[in-house]
Amino acid sequence: MKQLIIVLILLIAIRGLSQEASNDLKSRSIDIIYKQEQLKSENEMKTVTIQKLEKNTISADQVAALLDNNKVSFQTIASLNWNEYPYHPEVSFRMAHDGTSIFLNYHIKEKSIRARYSKDNSMVWTDSCVEFFILPLGENEYYNIESNCIGTLFFGIGKDGSYREPALTEFSNQIQRWSSLGNQPFEERIGDVEWELSLIIPTSAFFKGDIKELSGQVMKGNFFKCGDDLVTPHFLSWNPINTKNPNFHLPEFFGTLIFE
């Protein structure tokens, strides 16, 4: 009987070790798949050429008309990178520049919206939010310009998402904003809605002084749509991201921005 008990204990131990080895192998296989997908994504980086326009002194509410008149085409923000967040609002952007200012226009259709935050450098990414990240070549810090659907910004700089140095008011106030929804905060509204947001970003707003003249520059960047705290959270990007969990703060997945 004692020998039988010893044999049973050994069998249980062997089965446990086998299961542990199987789980370890499965985990390693998943890691390998993600690394392969990351390499694939790096070989499929998107590029957008940003049209140069004549010098302009327009206001943000005139950006869409300016881009229409110059036939600037839309790019889609459509990469669903994480299966657990399958909701796919319709999101697009278009952008041009005049050498010292970026003209950025977003168009969004989604099934709910929220604009809780009305003070800059608040948690706008939890609202209905669009985002533009830009990294000058040769630099290791990138800017993130995040805006909820009423034009409230989070504007910062840093090497990754662990810490973002927020812009002082004197710099964030230089970014003109216009939203088709106005600028007053509101709680979540359920139901199909279509909205538009335009920004004018002068190079003087980039407070580290590393972006002065846009003409002929090549930079890295990405564009996003999110709504972390909405009824249906979502995380979309222009250039694909291959990671296990949602994370926009990954310069290795930035596409290429070519300024004419």
Side-chain angles (χ1 to χ4, degrees), residues 142-174:
Y142 60 91
Y143 294 94
N144 57 310
I145 302 173
E146 309 177 15
S147 179
N148 69 7
C149 57
I150 59 170
T152 307
L153 297 182
F154 184 93
F155 179 27
I157 192 171
K159 295 180 180 180
D160 54 37
S162 62
Y163 173 71
R164 309 300 298 165
E165 178 186 344
L168 297 175
T169 302
E170 64 183 282
F171 295 104
S172 58
N173 281 352
Q174 293 183 42

mmCIF file of all heavy atoms in Angstrom, residues 142-174:
data_model
loop_
_atom_site.group_PDB
_atom_site.id
_atom_site.type_symbol
_atom_site.label_atom_id
_atom_site.label_comp_id
_atom_site.label_asym_id
_atom_site.label_seq_id
_atom_site.Cartn_x
_atom_site.Cartn_y
_atom_site.Cartn_z
ATOM 1 N N TYR A 142 8.841 62.385 -28.068
ATOM 2 C CA TYR A 142 7.795 62.728 -29.020
ATOM 3 C C TYR A 142 6.690 63.514 -28.313
ATOM 4 O O TYR A 142 6.478 63.402 -27.104
ATOM 5 C CB TYR A 142 7.211 61.473 -29.674
ATOM 6 C CG TYR A 142 6.594 60.500 -28.696
ATOM 7 C CD1 TYR A 142 5.242 60.572 -28.367
ATOM 8 C CD2 TYR A 142 7.370 59.515 -28.072
ATOM 9 C CE1 TYR A 142 4.682 59.702 -27.453
ATOM 10 C CE2 TYR A 142 6.821 58.646 -27.156
ATOM 11 C CZ TYR A 142 5.474 58.743 -26.846
ATOM 12 O OH TYR A 142 4.922 57.884 -25.924
ATOM 13 N N TYR A 143 5.987 64.316 -29.092
ATOM 14 C CA TYR A 143 4.847 65.087 -28.586
ATOM 15 C C TYR A 143 3.567 64.289 -28.778
ATOM 16 O O TYR A 143 3.399 63.607 -29.795
ATOM 17 C CB TYR A 143 4.714 66.410 -29.340
ATOM 18 C CG TYR A 143 5.847 67.378 -29.118
ATOM 19 C CD1 TYR A 143 6.929 67.421 -30.003
ATOM 20 C CD2 TYR A 143 5.840 68.262 -28.041
ATOM 21 C CE1 TYR A 143 7.966 68.321 -29.819
ATOM 22 C CE2 TYR A 143 6.874 69.171 -27.851
ATOM 23 C CZ TYR A 143 7.940 69.189 -28.740
ATOM 24 O OH TYR A 143 8.965 70.085 -28.557
ATOM 25 N N ASN A 144 2.653 64.396 -27.835
ATOM 26 C CA ASN A 144 1.308 63.854 -27.998
ATOM 27 C C ASN A 144 0.296 64.982 -27.850
ATOM 28 O O ASN A 144 0.301 65.722 -26.871
ATOM 29 C CB ASN A 144 1.013 62.732 -26.995
ATOM 30 C CG ASN A 144 1.183 63.139 -25.542
ATOM 31 O OD1 ASN A 144 2.207 63.710 -25.158
ATOM 32 N ND2 ASN A 144 0.184 62.846 -24.723
ATOM 33 N N ILE A 145 -0.525 65.137 -28.882
ATOM 34 C CA ILE A 145 -1.574 66.152 -28.899
ATOM 35 C C ILE A 145 -2.896 65.405 -28.945
ATOM 36 O O ILE A 145 -3.316 64.909 -29.993
ATOM 37 C CB ILE A 145 -1.416 67.105 -30.095
ATOM 38 C CG1 ILE A 145 -0.040 67.791 -30.043
ATOM 39 C CG2 ILE A 145 -2.531 68.148 -30.098
ATOM 40 C CD1 ILE A 145 0.276 68.620 -31.269
ATOM 41 N N GLU A 146 -3.530 65.278 -27.794
ATOM 42 C CA GLU A 146 -4.761 64.512 -27.638
ATOM 43 C C GLU A 146 -5.914 65.482 -27.408
ATOM 44 O O GLU A 146 -5.799 66.405 -26.613
ATOM 45 C CB GLU A 146 -4.630 63.543 -26.468
ATOM 46 C CG GLU A 146 -3.363 62.694 -26.545
ATOM 47 C CD GLU A 146 -3.171 61.775 -25.345
ATOM 48 O OE1 GLU A 146 -4.154 61.577 -24.586
ATOM 49 O OE2 GLU A 146 -2.052 61.267 -25.152
ATOM 50 N N SER A 147 -7.012 65.257 -28.094
ATOM 51 C CA SER A 147 -8.143 66.177 -27.988
ATOM 52 C C SER A 147 -9.451 65.420 -27.863
ATOM 53 O O SER A 147 -9.718 64.496 -28.638
ATOM 54 C CB SER A 147 -8.199 67.093 -29.214
ATOM 55 O OG SER A 147 -9.301 67.961 -29.135
ATOM 56 N N ASN A 148 -10.262 65.813 -26.886
ATOM 57 C CA ASN A 148 -11.603 65.232 -26.837
ATOM 58 C C ASN A 148 -12.496 65.925 -27.853
ATOM 59 O O ASN A 148 -12.054 66.817 -28.589
ATOM 60 C CB ASN A 148 -12.182 65.249 -25.415
ATOM 61 C CG ASN A 148 -12.503 66.648 -24.895
ATOM 62 O OD1 ASN A 148 -12.420 67.645 -25.615
ATOM 63 N ND2 ASN A 148 -12.879 66.725 -23.626
ATOM 64 N N CYS A 149 -13.748 65.547 -27.903
ATOM 65 C CA CYS A 149 -14.612 65.983 -29.004
ATOM 66 C C CYS A 149 -15.084 67.425 -28.881
ATOM 67 O O CYS A 149 -15.794 67.912 -29.779
ATOM 68 C CB CYS A 149 -15.797 65.037 -29.154
ATOM 69 S SG CYS A 149 -16.804 64.868 -27.667
ATOM 70 N N ILE A 150 -14.689 68.148 -27.816
ATOM 71 C CA ILE A 150 -14.985 69.589 -27.741
ATOM 72 C C ILE A 150 -13.700 70.423 -27.773
ATOM 73 O O ILE A 150 -13.720 71.615 -27.486
ATOM 74 C CB ILE A 150 -15.821 69.933 -26.494
ATOM 75 C CG1 ILE A 150 -15.097 69.532 -25.197
ATOM 76 C CG2 ILE A 150 -17.210 69.301 -26.581
ATOM 77 C CD1 ILE A 150 -15.751 70.067 -23.931
ATOM 78 N N GLY A 151 -12.569 69.779 -28.107
ATOM 79 C CA GLY A 151 -11.332 70.521 -28.292
ATOM 80 C C GLY A 151 -10.483 70.719 -27.051
ATOM 81 O O GLY A 151 -9.513 71.475 -27.091
ATOM 82 N N THR A 152 -10.812 70.046 -25.958
ATOM 83 C CA THR A 152 -9.947 70.087 -24.778
ATOM 84 C C THR A 152 -8.721 69.225 -25.049
ATOM 85 O O THR A 152 -8.847 68.090 -25.501
ATOM 86 C CB THR A 152 -10.675 69.571 -23.532
ATOM 87 O OG1 THR A 152 -11.910 70.272 -23.381
ATOM 88 C CG2 THR A 152 -9.831 69.766 -22.287
ATOM 89 N N LEU A 153 -7.527 69.759 -24.749
ATOM 90 C CA LEU A 153 -6.280 69.077 -25.111
ATOM 91 C C LEU A 153 -5.567 68.470 -23.911
ATOM 92 O O LEU A 153 -5.631 69.000 -22.794
ATOM 93 C CB LEU A 153 -5.306 70.059 -25.764
ATOM 94 C CG LEU A 153 -5.684 70.727 -27.082
ATOM 95 C CD1 LEU A 153 -4.532 71.623 -27.536
ATOM 96 C CD2 LEU A 153 -6.022 69.699 -28.146
ATOM 97 N N PHE A 154 -4.865 67.377 -24.202
ATOM 98 C CA PHE A 154 -3.705 66.991 -23.394
ATOM 99 C C PHE A 154 -2.524 67.076 -24.342
ATOM 100 O O PHE A 154 -2.466 66.358 -25.341
ATOM 101 C CB PHE A 154 -3.814 65.587 -22.807
ATOM 102 C CG PHE A 154 -2.638 65.271 -21.910
ATOM 103 C CD1 PHE A 154 -2.703 65.498 -20.549
ATOM 104 C CD2 PHE A 154 -1.431 64.807 -22.445
ATOM 105 C CE1 PHE A 154 -1.603 65.248 -19.733
ATOM 106 C CE2 PHE A 154 -0.328 64.576 -21.637
ATOM 107 C CZ PHE A 154 -0.423 64.792 -20.279
ATOM 108 N N PHE A 155 -1.574 67.959 -24.013
ATOM 109 C CA PHE A 155 -0.421 68.228 -24.870
ATOM 110 C C PHE A 155 0.831 68.018 -24.035
ATOM 111 O O PHE A 155 1.047 68.714 -23.045
ATOM 112 C CB PHE A 155 -0.518 69.663 -25.383
ATOM 113 C CG PHE A 155 0.613 70.116 -26.273
ATOM 114 C CD1 PHE A 155 1.348 69.227 -27.048
ATOM 115 C CD2 PHE A 155 0.931 71.472 -26.351
ATOM 116 C CE1 PHE A 155 2.374 69.660 -27.867
ATOM 117 C CE2 PHE A 155 1.950 71.925 -27.177
ATOM 118 C CZ PHE A 155 2.675 71.020 -27.929
ATOM 119 N N GLY A 156 1.640 67.017 -24.427
ATOM 120 C CA GLY A 156 2.816 66.716 -23.623
ATOM 121 C C GLY A 156 3.962 66.188 -24.467
ATOM 122 O O GLY A 156 3.874 66.079 -25.692
ATOM 123 N N ILE A 157 5.051 65.850 -23.782
ATOM 124 C CA ILE A 157 6.235 65.298 -24.434
ATOM 125 C C ILE A 157 6.887 64.301 -23.497
ATOM 126 O O ILE A 157 6.776 64.407 -22.268
ATOM 127 C CB ILE A 157 7.234 66.417 -24.830
ATOM 128 C CG1 ILE A 157 8.325 65.867 -25.766
ATOM 129 C CG2 ILE A 157 7.847 67.074 -23.598
ATOM 130 C CD1 ILE A 157 9.212 66.937 -26.371
ATOM 131 N N GLY A 158 7.566 63.316 -24.066
ATOM 132 C CA GLY A 158 8.272 62.328 -23.263
ATOM 133 C C GLY A 158 8.797 61.215 -24.140
ATOM 134 O O GLY A 158 8.553 61.180 -25.352
ATOM 135 N N LYS A 159 9.525 60.279 -23.525
ATOM 136 C CA LYS A 159 10.108 59.161 -24.262
ATOM 137 C C LYS A 159 9.135 57.998 -24.421
ATOM 138 O O LYS A 159 9.271 57.193 -25.332
ATOM 139 C CB LYS A 159 11.382 58.676 -23.559
ATOM 140 C CG LYS A 159 12.515 59.696 -23.550
ATOM 141 C CD LYS A 159 13.734 59.143 -22.838
ATOM 142 C CE LYS A 159 14.876 60.166 -22.837
ATOM 143 N NZ LYS A 159 16.090 59.649 -22.138
ATOM 144 N N ASP A 160 8.182 57.880 -23.479
ATOM 145 C CA ASP A 160 7.211 56.790 -23.521
ATOM 146 C C ASP A 160 5.986 57.221 -22.719
ATOM 147 O O ASP A 160 5.839 58.392 -22.376
ATOM 148 C CB ASP A 160 7.817 55.483 -22.976
ATOM 149 C CG ASP A 160 8.426 55.656 -21.572
ATOM 150 O OD1 ASP A 160 7.849 56.416 -20.762
ATOM 151 O OD2 ASP A 160 9.457 55.022 -21.293
ATOM 152 N N GLY A 161 5.115 56.250 -22.433
ATOM 153 C CA GLY A 161 3.884 56.590 -21.740
ATOM 154 C C GLY A 161 3.992 56.645 -20.234
ATOM 155 O O GLY A 161 3.018 56.998 -19.556
ATOM 156 N N SER A 162 5.152 56.318 -19.688
ATOM 157 C CA SER A 162 5.286 56.282 -18.224
ATOM 158 C C SER A 162 5.240 57.674 -17.614
ATOM 159 O O SER A 162 4.773 57.851 -16.486
ATOM 160 C CB SER A 162 6.586 55.578 -17.829
ATOM 161 O OG SER A 162 7.718 56.276 -18.326
ATOM 162 N N TYR A 163 5.731 58.670 -18.350
ATOM 163 C CA TYR A 163 5.627 60.055 -17.881
ATOM 164 C C TYR A 163 5.583 60.983 -19.081
ATOM 165 O O TYR A 163 6.402 60.880 -19.986
ATOM 166 C CB TYR A 163 6.811 60.451 -16.991
ATOM 167 C CG TYR A 163 6.780 61.925 -16.645
ATOM 168 C CD1 TYR A 163 5.825 62.430 -15.765
ATOM 169 C CD2 TYR A 163 7.670 62.818 -17.247
ATOM 170 C CE1 TYR A 163 5.770 63.792 -15.480
ATOM 171 C CE2 TYR A 163 7.618 64.178 -16.952
ATOM 172 C CZ TYR A 163 6.671 64.653 -16.073
ATOM 173 O OH TYR A 163 6.608 66.002 -15.792
ATOM 174 N N ARG A 164 4.596 61.880 -19.066
ATOM 175 C CA ARG A 164 4.465 62.882 -20.118
ATOM 176 C C ARG A 164 4.573 64.257 -19.474
ATOM 177 O O ARG A 164 3.803 64.590 -18.563
ATOM 178 C CB ARG A 164 3.116 62.776 -20.833
ATOM 179 C CG ARG A 164 2.757 61.385 -21.334
ATOM 180 C CD ARG A 164 3.752 60.854 -22.322
ATOM 181 N NE ARG A 164 3.832 61.680 -23.516
ATOM 182 C CZ ARG A 164 4.824 61.587 -24.386
ATOM 183 N NH1 ARG A 164 5.829 60.753 -24.180
ATOM 184 N NH2 ARG A 164 4.834 62.370 -25.458
ATOM 185 N N GLU A 165 5.534 65.033 -19.917
ATOM 186 C CA GLU A 165 5.684 66.393 -19.405
ATOM 187 C C GLU A 165 4.635 67.283 -20.078
ATOM 188 O O GLU A 165 4.684 67.511 -21.280
ATOM 189 C CB GLU A 165 7.082 66.922 -19.722
ATOM 190 C CG GLU A 165 7.310 68.356 -19.261
ATOM 191 C CD GLU A 165 8.657 68.907 -19.704
ATOM 192 O OE1 GLU A 165 9.537 68.107 -20.098
ATOM 193 O OE2 GLU A 165 8.814 70.145 -19.657
ATOM 194 N N PRO A 166 3.668 67.791 -19.312
ATOM 195 C CA PRO A 166 2.608 68.585 -19.944
ATOM 196 C C PRO A 166 3.092 69.967 -20.363
ATOM 197 O O PRO A 166 3.975 70.550 -19.730
ATOM 198 C CB PRO A 166 1.547 68.687 -18.841
ATOM 199 C CG PRO A 166 2.313 68.524 -17.563
ATOM 200 C CD PRO A 166 3.468 67.611 -17.868
ATOM 201 N N ALA A 167 2.509 70.469 -21.431
ATOM 202 C CA ALA A 167 2.853 71.805 -21.912
ATOM 203 C C ALA A 167 2.291 72.853 -20.961
ATOM 204 O O ALA A 167 1.209 72.689 -20.385
ATOM 205 C CB ALA A 167 2.280 72.022 -23.301
ATOM 206 N N LEU A 168 3.032 73.937 -20.798
ATOM 207 C CA LEU A 168 2.508 75.070 -20.056
ATOM 208 C C LEU A 168 1.390 75.725 -20.860
ATOM 209 O O LEU A 168 1.326 75.593 -22.086
ATOM 210 C CB LEU A 168 3.623 76.080 -19.783
ATOM 211 C CG LEU A 168 4.793 75.590 -18.913
ATOM 212 C CD1 LEU A 168 5.872 76.669 -18.835
ATOM 213 C CD2 LEU A 168 4.314 75.197 -17.524
ATOM 214 N N THR A 169 0.548 76.457 -20.168
ATOM 215 C CA THR A 169 -0.602 77.101 -20.814
ATOM 216 C C THR A 169 -0.185 77.990 -21.977
ATOM 217 O O THR A 169 -0.870 78.060 -23.006
ATOM 218 C CB THR A 169 -1.386 77.932 -19.780
ATOM 219 O OG1 THR A 169 -1.794 77.072 -18.718
ATOM 220 C CG2 THR A 169 -2.609 78.572 -20.408
ATOM 221 N N GLU A 170 0.952 78.668 -21.848
ATOM 222 C CA GLU A 170 1.387 79.584 -22.904
ATOM 223 C C GLU A 170 1.645 78.852 -24.219
ATOM 224 O O GLU A 170 1.583 79.463 -25.297
ATOM 225 C CB GLU A 170 2.652 80.331 -22.478
ATOM 226 C CG GLU A 170 3.862 79.443 -22.273
ATOM 227 C CD GLU A 170 5.077 80.218 -21.781
ATOM 228 O OE1 GLU A 170 5.720 80.871 -22.615
ATOM 229 O OE2 GLU A 170 5.358 80.147 -20.575
ATOM 230 N N PHE A 171 1.922 77.555 -24.148
ATOM 231 C CA PHE A 171 2.142 76.772 -25.361
ATOM 232 C C PHE A 171 0.854 76.083 -25.828
ATOM 233 O O PHE A 171 0.538 76.125 -27.023
ATOM 234 C CB PHE A 171 3.241 75.739 -25.131
ATOM 235 C CG PHE A 171 4.583 76.357 -24.861
ATOM 236 C CD1 PHE A 171 5.107 76.394 -23.574
ATOM 237 C CD2 PHE A 171 5.315 76.935 -25.886
ATOM 238 C CE1 PHE A 171 6.334 76.984 -23.319
ATOM 239 C CE2 PHE A 171 6.541 77.528 -25.648
ATOM 240 C CZ PHE A 171 7.056 77.556 -24.355
ATOM 241 N N SER A 172 0.115 75.464 -24.914
ATOM 242 C CA SER A 172 -1.117 74.785 -25.328
ATOM 243 C C SER A 172 -2.141 75.775 -25.880
ATOM 244 O O SER A 172 -2.910 75.444 -26.793
ATOM 245 C CB SER A 172 -1.716 73.985 -24.168
ATOM 246 O OG SER A 172 -1.988 74.808 -23.057
ATOM 247 N N ASN A 173 -2.124 76.999 -25.362
ATOM 248 C CA ASN A 173 -3.064 78.009 -25.863
ATOM 249 C C ASN A 173 -2.765 78.450 -27.286
ATOM 250 O O ASN A 173 -3.614 79.067 -27.941
ATOM 251 C CB ASN A 173 -3.068 79.238 -24.948
ATOM 252 C CG ASN A 173 -3.885 79.022 -23.687
ATOM 253 O OD1 ASN A 173 -4.585 78.011 -23.554
ATOM 254 N ND2 ASN A 173 -3.802 79.956 -22.753
ATOM 255 N N GLN A 174 -1.566 78.146 -27.764
ATOM 256 C CA GLN A 174 -1.225 78.505 -29.144
ATOM 257 C C GLN A 174 -1.905 77.589 -30.158
ATOM 258 O O GLN A 174 -1.988 77.929 -31.349
ATOM 259 C CB GLN A 174 0.288 78.449 -29.348
ATOM 260 C CG GLN A 174 1.056 79.501 -28.568
ATOM 261 C CD GLN A 174 2.549 79.435 -28.861
ATOM 262 O OE1 GLN A 174 2.958 79.261 -30.009
ATOM 263 N NE2 GLN A 174 3.367 79.567 -27.832
#
